[in-house]
Amino acid sequence: MSIIKNFIILILVSLFAVSVNSQEVKKVGKFKDWETIIITEQTGKVCFAQSVPVLQAPKSNPREARMFVSFRPAEKINDEISVTGGYEFNNQNSIIATSGKSKYKFDIAQEGFAWIADNKLENKMIKTMKKGSRIMITGHNQKGSQTIDHYSLLGFTKAYNAAKTSCS
């Protein structure tokens, strides 16, 4: 649970680009539709590539959705893929990432975020993202309504590499 709370704080800090609890935020660069950010905490660095959707459905309900690939060397976490739909996901429906013919299911959904539990599957998804041009995240809110967030993958490889290098 503390990892989730730390991750939420990390996102809030990145969104508002302010220092919180003596954390230092550094924007490494913007790479087309992705950006790389480093947060330095007392426990160490957290580096991540992030993006916002280029298209959301339904259009009538804009949300603060984001997709992340994170590195937390102090916790020995690499290539952690996570998403937020800007709402609390329901546990009755799967959260699925689709790019071309490839589909990936997010195993864990808590406090408005979803993660893939299997690092091998995350590595496979990252390879798909490096080759692809778009990835769609399908989720369902607490009322059961479906949302689809379309993320451009333009700039993903450079943002990913910058995050990985910054935390190695």
Side-chain angles (χ1 to χ4, degrees), residues 1-11 72 75 108-113 115:
M1 197 70 132
S2 65
I3 291 173
I4 294 168
K5 288 181 182 176
N6 287 339
F7 198 70
I8 291 170
I9 290 171
L10 175 116
I11 289 167
R72 295 195 302 273
E75 298 172 54
I108 304 164
Q110 291 179 324
E111 298 184 25
F113 289 86
W115 293 268

Side-chain angles (χ1 to χ4, degrees), residues 59-97:
K59 290 181 183 180
S60 60
N61 184 20
R63 298 166 279 104
E64 289 292 325
R66 296 260 187 294
M67 184 171 197
F68 305 90
V69 178
S70 305
F71 300 86
R72 295 195 302 273
E75 298 172 54
K76 295 185 169 97
I77 294 175
N78 294 308
D79 299 325
E80 180 183 64
I81 299 172
S82 60
V83 294
T84 178
Y87 58 86
E88 185 74 32
F89 294 108
N90 78 33
N91 293 326
Q92 309 304 314
N93 301 94
S94 297
I95 302 152
I96 303 290

Side-chain angles (χ1 to χ4, degrees), residues 38 40 55 77 102 108 122 128 132 144-145 163:
I38 300 171
T40 305
L55 180 66
I77 294 175
S102 300
I108 304 164
E122 286 176 314
T128 299
S145 298

Side-chain angles (χ1 to χ4, degrees), residues 31-146:
F31 307 94
K32 301 206 185 254
D33 294 322
W34 285 77
E35 67 180 330
T36 301
I37 297 173
I38 300 171
I39 296 178
T40 305
E41 304 175 306
Q42 290 178 341
T43 57
K45 283 199 277 188
V46 177
C47 307
F48 58 95
Q50 76 168 2
S51 186
V52 296
V54 294
L55 180 66
Q56 290 183 318
K59 290 181 183 180
S60 60
N61 184 20
R63 298 166 279 104
E64 289 292 325
R66 296 260 187 294
M67 184 171 197
F68 305 90
V69 178
S70 305
F71 300 86
R72 295 195 302 273
E75 298 172 54
K76 295 185 169 97
I77 294 175
N78 294 308
D79 299 325
E80 180 183 64
I81 299 172
S82 60
V83 294
T84 178
Y87 58 86
E88 185 74 32
F89 294 108
N90 78 33
N91 293 326
Q92 309 304 314
N93 301 94
S94 297
I95 302 152
I96 303 290
T98 307
S99 183
K101 293 181 181 180
S102 300
K103 289 189 178 197
Y104 303 92
K105 181 180 174 188
F106 287 79
D107 308 297
I108 304 164
Q110 291 179 324
E111 298 184 25
F113 289 86
W115 293 268
I116 295 173
D118 183 351
N119 195 248
K120 288 180 183 176
L121 190 59
E122 286 176 314
N123 290 332
K124 187 176 177 184
M125 184 170 162
I126 288 168
K127 286 178 184 173
T128 299
M129 291 170 69
K130 286 180 177 182
K131 293 176 188 173
S133 61
R134 186 171 282 204
I135 193 163
M136 280 115 5
I137 306 296
T138 303
H140 294 80
N141 64 23
Q142 291 294 312
K143 294 179 181 177
S145 298
Q146 183 183 61

